[in-house]
Amino acid sequence: MVQHKFNMNLTWSEGRDGAGNLTASKLNTKISIPQEMNGPGIGTNPDEMLLGAAATCYLITLATLLENSKVPVLDLSMQAQGFVDVTNGVFTYERIVHNPTIVVKDLTDREHRRIHRIAEKAEKTCMISKALQGNVRIECQIQIEQG
């Protein structure tokens, strides 16, 4: 068995309207409650970081699966959105939507279906998606284009 360990150090000052700092081996940023949630909006926040973790994991997994399947990708990009519901003062991270755009040289109907299956498989095999399963709904709106 191989186990990887990741470390993070955090500091915080003041209460709800305070701010902090987050440091990891490749990440150093300020943190606070976002302005959208009536916070100071300093640096990033848990909502963005959860979205970032899910989106980067999905994109890296997708790129790897496309490469392993020998799909000749000309360009791979993505937008992602996270949706947080607030009902009776309770915040719930409801869903994440991945919007990848995959540009390939030659796009037959068969290749389009194959790439679509690979993109769906990436969401099911992504480590972060699996960790969120049952708590946060993850959707993929895949766009495949010929370049």
Side-chain angles (χ1 to χ4, degrees):
M1 178 175 93
V2 174
Q3 187 175 42
H4 300 280
K5 179 182 175 184
F6 299 92
N7 295 302
M8 187 174 284
N9 295 305
L10 300 103
T11 60
W12 190 262
S13 63
E14 302 178 27
R16 185 187 189 286
D17 290 330
N21 199 55
L22 175 151
T23 305
S25 69
K26 305 286 185 213
L27 178 64
N28 183 1
T29 187
K30 294 190 179 303
I31 56 173
S32 73
I33 295 174
Q35 286 182 321
E36 297 87 347
M37 296 178 179
N38 298 317
I42 298 169
T44 190
N45 57 72
D47 309 283
E48 285 181 341
M49 290 192 306
L50 181 62
L51 177 60
T56 55
C57 184
Y58 173 78
L59 188 62
I60 291 167
T61 303
L62 176 58
T64 301
L65 292 177
L66 289 166
E67 179 182 54
N68 290 347
S69 299
K70 304 212 182 330
V71 174
V73 175
L74 298 176
D75 188 59
L76 177 60
S77 61
M78 191 172 90
Q79 293 182 334
Q81 296 85 33
F83 296 87
V84 177
D85 176 69
V86 183
T87 302
N88 297 325
V90 177
F91 293 78
T92 304
Y93 213 116
E94 280 191 328
R95 70 185 169 113
I96 291 172
V97 180
H98 298 310
N99 298 288
T101 299
I102 306 162
V103 181
V104 295
K105 185 173 182 174
D106 297 313
L107 187 60
T108 63
D109 285 343
R110 182 173 184 236
E111 190 71 359
H112 187 277
R113 287 190 302 273
R114 184 169 85 105
I115 294 169
H116 202 276
R117 281 192 307 273
I118 291 168
E120 288 177 346
K121 181 180 179 181
E123 190 276 313
K124 290 176 178 58
T125 58
C126 164
M127 177 179 65
I128 302 298
S129 294
K130 290 191 295 187
L132 295 173
Q133 192 174 21
N135 293 306
V136 178
R137 190 171 73 244
I138 300 179
E139 303 169 10
C140 294
Q141 298 174 0
I142 303 151
Q143 185 172 342
I144 304 167
E145 300 175 356
Q146 183 165 325

